[in-house]
Each structure stands twice: as C-alpha cells, then as structure tokens.
Amino acid sequence: MAMTSWPSTGRQRRHHLIFVLLLVLLVAVGICVPVFALLPSLSSPQSLPPALHRDDEKMISPKFYIEDDMFWKDENPFQIIGGDLHYFRVLPAYWEDRLLRAKALGLNTIQMYVPWNLHEPKPGRMVFEGIADLVSFIKLCQKLDFLVMLRAGPYICGEWDLGGFPAWLLAVKPPLKLRTSDPAYLKLVERWWDALLPKVFPLLYSNGGPVIMVQIENEYGSYGNDKAYLRNLVTMARGHLGDDIIVYTTDGGTRETLEKGTVSLSDVYSAVDFTTGDDPWPIFELQKKFNAPGRSPPLSSEFYTGWLTHWGEKIAKTDAEFTAASLEKILSRNGSAVLYMVHGGTNFGFYNGANTGCGEFDYKPDLTSYDYDAPIKESGDIDNPKFQALQKVIKKYNAAPHSVIPSNTQRKAYGPIKMQMTTSLFDLISMTDPGDVISSANPISMESAGQMFGFILYESSYMAKKSGNILKIPKVHDRAQVFISCLSQDVNEGILRYAGTTARWNNQPVSLPTNECTSNTSLFILVENMGRVNYGPYLFDEKGILSSVYLDGQILHGWKMIPIPFHNLNQLPTLSFEMQFTKKRSEKFELINDVGQKEPAMFSGEFSISSVEQIKDTYLSFNGWGKGVAFVNKFNIGRYWPSVGPQCNLYVPAPLLKPGQNSVVIFELESPHLDLFLESVDREDFTCRPNDSKVK
C-alpha cells in the first residue's frame, strides 16, 4: 500500500466529532472498555478490529471510494499499483504461483478480464468450473492480500477470440448489433450478467471481498458512440452490484476516444490508457474533464509492459529500463497504474484473437504464446531485467512487505518423441457421425453449422475438364486447403490429392489438376478457423466459406459441411486420440514415408516420466513440421506454425503431465517432419523466421 497526502482538515474535524460523541455515549451507558482500541488512530492506517465490524457493520464496513481526486481504502489514501493477470490464460494449478510472483514484484491489485465465451460456450449453458472458476481465482487474490479490479465486459478485446463474445452470437438471426443498444443483444448480455454478477456481489470490497472496481465494456471510444448502450450496462451493473462499487470505463487518452467512450454520469469513473513513454500528466489532466469534480484520481488502467505478436512478425520486445522509467513518472506523483500485462500466459485451445490492418482481408492472427514481454514470463520466470527494473521502481512507492521472491520454475527436456500417423483426413471423414453432416445448396458458415472452433470440411463434386479447372473462393475465413478425389474409385485407398491452398490474406485461385475419374470428381475444402478478430471495425468475424464458390467462373452448388471441431477449453473431446485408430492408410504412409502428399493427418506419440519428482514444465519443439494444433494428454495446448514463426515451441505446464506415459497428438495440416520426431526441450524459442507465405 502506498500512502499519499492526508485527508482535508474538515475530514479530521469530523473524525474528532464522531470520537467525542461515541465517548459520551459509552460513558452514559456505563460501558467500561478501552475506547482508544475501538477507533483508528488519526495518524496511523491501522485497520479496525474484527469485533467492531460485527457490532456496527453499517458504520465501519469496508469501503473503497473516490474523493478529492484520490482513491480511498477504509478512510486511508490508496495508490493502485496493479497488474493484469488472466485466470483463463493460466492453468488453475499455477494460479497461486503466478500471483505470488506478482506479489514479489510489489503489486497490491490484480486486474482481470472476464471472457463471456469461456463461461457460456453454448447459449444458456453457463460454466464456472476448472479454468473458468473465476470465483476461486478472486478468493485466491484476496488470500494473497490483493485487491481486484474486475473487467466484466461484455466485450473485453484482450487478444481473445471475438473480444470475449461467444461465437454463437454471430449465428443469431436476425443478426445482432454487437456493442450497441440493440434490444436483442442487450437481452443476451442481461442473461449473461444475471449469471455472472450475483457471483461477484459477495466478493465486493464492501461485502468483505477484494473487488474494488468493476469495468463495463472496454475502450468503447475506439469503436462506437452509443451512449444509450453504455448507460444500459451501467444500469445492469448497478442493479446487481449496488451503488457503492466503483463502476469504471477505460479509453485511450485522447479527447475523441474519451468523448465517445465515457458515460456522463457522476457515479461512473473514467480511466485512461496510453502508449508507454507518453508524458502521462497532460493525459491525466484531460482525464479530469471527463470525470465529476473531485472524482478523477490519475489512473493508467493499461500501462503496457510489452506488446502482442502476430504470426509472421518478429517477437515484440520493449526495453526494461525505459518501461520502468515510464512507470516511475506516474507513481512518483501519486498516480496509479495497472501493468498490462504483469503476466501474459498462454492462449490455450483455439481462443487466440486476431487483428486487421487496412481492411478485412489484412488479417493478423495472434500467437499461441501470450508472453507479451511481460515481467513474469509465460513459464512464470522472473529472472529477467524487466522484472528487476519494475520491482526497483515499485518498491519506492509500495511500502508493504513484499513476499519472498519465488525461484524460477524448473523445466525439463524429455528428449525426442517418435510420432506415427494414426488418422488421415480421409479417416476423419469416415469417422464423422452422419447426423452431424449438414447439406445445403451453398456453403454456410461455421457458426451457422453450430460449430464455434476448429476446422470444417466442405464437400462437393464437379465434372472435371481435361485441361483442368480453376477454383475461386471470394471470401474464406481463414485458410482453406483444397483436395480432390475420385471417391468411387479411391474409397478403399482413401486417396485425397492436394490441389492448393487459398487464404483470407491472399485469396488466390486454385488450379485443380486433371484427373481421369470415371464419374464426377469429389472436391474437399478444409477450412481452418485461425482465431476471430477481437478489435476494430471488423469484429463480426464469421468463419468458414462465406461466399459462393466458383468453378471456372460458375457458381458450384450442392455442398456438405462436415465438422472437425476437436475440442477446446470447457469442451470434452469429440474424437478418440488413442493410438489404436491406426488405419490401412497409416500403415501405407509409414512404409512409403509419403510426406509430400500434404494431406492433413493426426500423428501420435508418447514420452515417459519416471516419477512425480521428474514432472517439470517443458516445451514441444515443432521445428521441421508445418502447421497444426497439438494436444498433450488430451489438453489442447494451442497452434503451431514454425514455417511462418516466430514461435517455434509450445509451452507445456507441468500440471498437464503425469508419471508414466504421456501422450502427444498433433493434427498436422501440411508436411510432417521428415523423421517423424517431435522434441521436448527446456526453453522457449521465438526465432523461427517467416517464409514466403506473406501472412501479415
């Protein structure tokens, strides 16, 4: 806790008056107690005895509020020195470990997003267990003496799929107008908050919990200007949480974004964020114009310790001393700041987000790693210059005792893992439940097919020309691999011939090769959802084939949609990953080592751990492989794409592992490693370089 100037003289006079009145009352009723023990010292921030909390709850209940352009905690000035740490990017077994590291940095507050899509994966199905157990995470914050700033959305951004919105919102008809006062959209928000906010209410600071502030929306001024929408959210939040909690917004520190994103209500606090290195104090002065008089404590609610990275980019890095010096400019004048991020973590499963550049087709998906160049690394390591530089600054302004600095988490290289092909794409097709296949004249989106993540296979047929055919898909989200087959002839062998790849960012036509099918040629298009856009004007990011498909300039009709969802967080596996699934195709593949076919396939392998003591964090190196998604002991650890980079390895936290045999399954989309090996290594690697794929 960092202390600033003391309350006004008027406040002190009120304290003395209350003291005298209480003393007179106690003497009048003949109660002989050491009255000085009942009241806080006016020169000391000592907390009240628990007994008094019980006896006169109304008068001395915990209170966190804003007055005189300062934050106040139980009548004492409070400087927020916080950090964003997202429970959904860290395995629950590591929550306490990461929080202890944030404590060692000197933080007193944790800020956290709540992703709607994690908690309501299907309409009306609410999930608050496992990695979605935010109540346990908040209670753990309190156990470690953190206050909590809760960012309840419903939109969060956060480099998270669709900015935290459930993808099924995109399938609602008529289409919803997200982030507006559209009644149909607000009704769904209300249903979600009816489930979420009653869980938050007992955790509010005034109720004895750690939650001091609740944010609505996120950087709305960078998106829209619907004040009725924001006021609706405030009304919903107040209806569940009462009038004592600080409701806040966060917007970029410019006049335009603040004018559009703030709520002109005296009980809503407007926080700001801005580029690290900007002079903070002119921005804090601007912030005052959008808060009620006396209700504008300077707060950078997203002080950027690093930055995000997209596939195909060089890994983002920021200078440690520069970052620390920028933070000190805020803290040295009693400003407050929340480090974004203090610990980034990992985009497990298919939940990574994406950005767009100059247009919808300028698509930039995020890495699986959300390390963010934060002071606490993806693996929890804190032995780095940025942690040390920030800790040195924070210690000047937070006099509270820091926890013992934990040592870096131990890591282990378990060595090479021999992989074998177990299931081809053709095998996956044959394993699909016919009841899950959808037929229509034209392709439909993944969301319209009831599938939110993973892959979807589109199947049609055509009469091949001797000279070949040209396939064109004007709008595909996000990446499509095209195959043909003489299905009636090849059914026993299951041969799919690779024709080419087209993607959202290049939209190139695919030349279908000549073939000698005795009947129509079967056409298969495997589309990968690489993560929905989470920021900007193209937020309505449906996946799959979103247009007609043209063959030699003519629309091709008659389609089947075959789901290949695999599984995500909070979803049980829909396919068995056991190695018994080896097919004839798999045996043939191993015999000829046909790695040039480019037919997507499942590969399985195992590695052994001798004892519980040998279970450590590790990384899987995908150098030499193409592109795909990986599972360790049936947990989706994320996407790999070393041919584009910069991420070469995927982080595998120790809680996923067990003594004995540990399974690794990957769905490889392009070309497997020539020797069919993965490598378990003991360090991260962001040195893979992009090739000619031209991914932005």
Side-chain angles (χ1 to χ4, degrees):
M1 180 187 302
M3 307 307 295
T4 57
S5 57
W6 290 108
S8 64
T9 304
R11 179 184 296 274
Q12 293 180 358
R13 286 198 296 268
R14 290 196 299 272
H15 277 256
H16 284 293
L17 180 59
I18 292 171
F19 175 84
V20 171
L21 290 174
L22 279 174
L23 184 60
V24 170
L25 178 62
L26 291 169
V27 172
V29 297
I31 298 177
C32 296
V33 294
V35 291
F36 288 101
L38 293 175
L39 296 172
S41 165
L42 293 177
S43 60
S44 170
Q46 294 294 322
S47 60
L48 299 176
L52 194 56
H53 282 273
R54 294 192 298 268
D55 294 342
D56 196 346
E57 186 175 310
K58 184 175 180 181
M59 185 175 68
I60 49 79
S61 61
K63 189 175 182 183
F64 192 94
Y65 59 100
I66 295 172
E67 190 174 288
D68 300 333
D69 287 334
M70 292 187 291
F71 293 111
W72 296 84
K73 176 177 176 283
D74 300 332
E75 304 298 319
N76 298 304
F78 188 84
Q79 185 178 30
I80 294 173
I81 306 177
D84 264 84
L85 200 161
H86 302 155
Y87 59 97
F88 46 90
R89 284 183 161 122
V90 180
L91 294 186
Y94 271 167
W95 284 347
E96 185 163 5
D97 175 87
R98 301 307 191 252
L99 288 170
L100 284 171
R101 293 167 193 274
K103 196 73 178 175
L105 186 62
L107 304 189
N108 56 30
T109 305
I110 295 295
Q111 185 171 248
M112 49 185 280
Y113 282 131
V114 181
W116 182 1
N117 52 10
L118 181 72
H119 295 281
E120 193 178 2
K122 294 182 179 180
R125 178 180 170 242
M126 301 297 175
V127 179
F128 291 97
E129 296 85 35
I131 203 167
D133 189 356
L134 88 163
V135 170
S136 292
F137 182 80
I138 293 172
K139 288 181 177 178
L140 188 55
C141 290
Q142 183 174 26
K143 170 189 168 185
L144 299 177
D145 200 29
F146 284 112
L147 299 179
V148 170
M149 298 166 64
L150 191 76
R151 313 177 87 177
Y155 165 80
I156 64 170
C157 186
E159 290 72 64
W160 193 250
D161 187 81
L162 200 59
F165 284 130
W168 51 261
L169 292 177
L170 301 177
V172 175
K173 303 299 180 189
L176 299 172
K177 298 176 182 177
L178 303 182
R179 305 186 76 186
T180 72
S181 51
D182 171 17
Y185 161 65
L186 284 175
K187 186 176 181 179
L188 292 171
V189 173
E190 185 173 23
R191 184 179 73 184
W192 157 229
W193 275 8
D194 282 350
L196 170 67
L197 296 184
K199 294 181 180 296
V200 175
F201 180 73
L203 302 169
L204 299 182
Y205 189 74
S206 58
N207 294 329
V211 179
I212 55 170
M213 299 169 65
V214 174
Q215 180 179 303
I216 61 162
E217 253 284 345
N218 189 53
E219 296 179 330
Y220 187 70
S222 300
Y223 179 83
N225 192 23
D226 187 342
K227 298 292 187 178
Y229 166 52
L230 297 178
R231 286 193 293 270
N232 266 293
L233 294 181
V234 172
T235 300
M236 283 187 211
R238 290 278 182 224
H240 283 289
L241 304 177
D243 295 330
D244 291 336
I245 186 69
I246 298 172
V247 173
Y248 71 112
T249 57
T250 290
D251 283 288
T254 68
R255 184 174 293 275
E256 179 185 3
T257 53
L258 286 165
E259 284 177 347
K260 292 164 63 178
T262 55
V263 188
S264 55
L265 298 172
S266 61
D267 63 343
V268 178
Y269 168 65
S270 303
V272 291
D273 58 33
F274 44 84
T275 302
T276 302
D278 285 352
D279 185 352
W281 290 98
I283 299 172
F284 290 145
E285 286 301 313
L286 177 65
Q287 176 193 10
K288 282 187 177 182
K289 300 181 186 299
F290 296 89
N291 281 307
R295 290 187 52 82
S296 195
L299 169 64
S300 172
S301 55
E302 289 190 11
F303 175 87
Y304 301 110
T305 61
W307 201 245
L308 60 104
T309 305
H310 305 115
W311 290 107
E313 298 176 347
K314 186 177 180 181
I315 192 70
K317 294 285 184 182
T318 57
D319 181 74
E321 293 298 331
F322 172 81
T323 305
S326 298
L327 179 63
E328 184 150 30
K329 288 180 182 178
I330 297 173
L331 301 185
S332 63
R333 293 175 57 181
N334 292 329
S336 292
V338 180
L339 309 184
Y340 192 100
M341 302 289 295
V342 64
H343 171 60
T346 309
N347 292 317
F348 293 119
F350 297 120
Y351 276 114
N352 67 276
N355 289 294
T356 52
C358 56
E360 185 179 355
F361 296 99
D362 187 12
Y363 174 72
K364 305 176 180 183
D366 298 323
L367 301 183
T368 297
S369 172
Y370 198 62
D371 179 84
Y372 214 83
D373 197 28
I376 303 171
K377 310 307 291 178
E378 182 180 16
S379 64
D381 285 2
I382 56 177
D383 185 14
N384 63 77
K386 187 168 289 182
F387 186 94
Q388 294 160 3
L390 289 170
Q391 184 188 53
K392 183 178 179 181
V393 167
I394 292 169
K395 277 186 173 180
K396 298 179 185 179
Y397 305 100
N398 185 359
H402 293 215
S403 64
V404 176
I405 300 177
S407 59
N408 283 343
T409 304
Q410 289 187 330
R411 295 175 300 207
K412 186 173 178 62
Y414 294 103
I417 303 168
K418 178 64 176 176
M419 307 295 287
Q420 71 175 57
M421 180 181 174
T422 58
T423 315
S424 69
L425 177 59
F426 186 88
D427 297 333
L428 288 174
I429 298 170
S430 66
M431 292 160 56
T432 303
D433 185 339
D436 293 334
V437 177
I438 298 174
S439 299
S440 68
N442 293 299
I444 64 173
S445 71
M446 183 180 281
E447 294 81 7
S448 296
Q451 182 185 333
M452 304 307 141
F453 297 101
F455 304 81
I456 188 166
L457 187 69
Y458 294 83
E459 179 186 354
S460 188
S461 63
Y462 67 99
M463 184 63 72
K465 294 180 179 179
K466 290 185 178 180
S467 58
N469 303 81
I470 300 296
L471 186 77
K472 179 72 174 175
I473 312 174
K475 192 171 184 180
V476 61
H477 287 189
D478 298 303
R479 186 174 184 268
Q481 292 168 271
V482 181
F483 305 87
I484 63 171
S485 174
C486 297
L487 198 55
S488 59
Q489 299 160 233
D490 299 336
V491 66
N492 292 327
E493 294 295 334
I495 296 174
L496 296 181
R497 296 178 62 191
Y498 173 71
T501 298
T502 185
R504 178 174 181 164
W505 52 87
N506 58 34
N507 199 233
Q508 61 189 14
V510 175
S511 297
L512 303 181
T514 59
N515 64 78
E516 298 180 359
C517 295
T518 56
S519 60
N520 279 3
T521 301
S522 294
L523 173 69
F524 296 92
I525 304 172
L526 180 67
V527 178
E528 180 187 4
N529 167 0
M530 293 176 58
R532 292 179 182 85
V533 172
N534 59 263
Y535 179 82
Y538 305 109
L539 191 66
F540 307 89
D541 191 13
E542 290 183 282
K543 297 302 185 183
I545 295 177
L546 307 178
S547 66
S548 295
V549 175
Y550 294 84
L551 188 72
D552 301 323
Q554 301 296 314
I555 295 177
L556 184 61
H557 293 290
W559 291 89
K560 292 180 180 177
M561 275 60 65
I562 304 169
I564 308 178
F566 297 122
H567 65 291
N568 210 348
L569 308 180
N570 290 334
Q571 291 177 284
L572 294 174
T574 55
L575 297 172
S576 172
F577 295 138
E578 301 304 321
M579 298 180 69
Q580 297 90 288
F581 265 115
T582 304
K583 303 274 187 176
K584 290 182 180 179
R585 273 293 314 281
S586 310
E587 295 167 2
K588 177 181 177 183
F589 181 94
E590 283 209 314
L591 287 172
I592 64 174
N593 200 25
D594 190 3
V595 296
Q597 279 285 53
K598 283 199 171 181
E599 181 185 346
M602 308 277 289
F603 293 81
S604 295
E606 293 181 333
F607 65 97
S608 180
I609 301 178
S610 59
S611 65
V612 172
E613 292 73 26
Q614 292 299 310
I615 296 177
K616 311 291 182 187
D617 285 0
T618 190
Y619 293 85
L620 289 182
S621 170
F622 287 89
N623 277 304
W625 293 80
K627 184 183 195 305
V629 58
F631 304 81
V632 173
N633 291 332
K634 299 187 179 182
F635 183 87
N636 188 337
I637 62 169
R639 311 172 197 270
Y640 63 88
W641 201 2
S643 58
V644 166
Q647 185 173 0
C648 315
N649 300 349
L650 291 184
Y651 174 54
V652 183
L656 293 178
L657 305 177
K658 60 186 180 180
Q661 295 301 109
N662 291 264
S663 70
V664 178
V665 174
I666 65 174
F667 184 46
E668 169 60 48
L669 296 171
E670 293 182 343
S671 301
H673 189 283
L674 280 172
D675 297 321
L676 296 184
F677 274 104
L678 282 177
E679 185 86 9
S680 167
V681 298
D682 61 1
R683 60 180 56 85
E684 65 184 25
D685 186 355
F686 293 104
T687 62
C688 290
R689 293 287 181 259
N691 58 13
D692 295 330
S693 64
K694 300 188 186 304
V695 173
K696 299 292 191 295

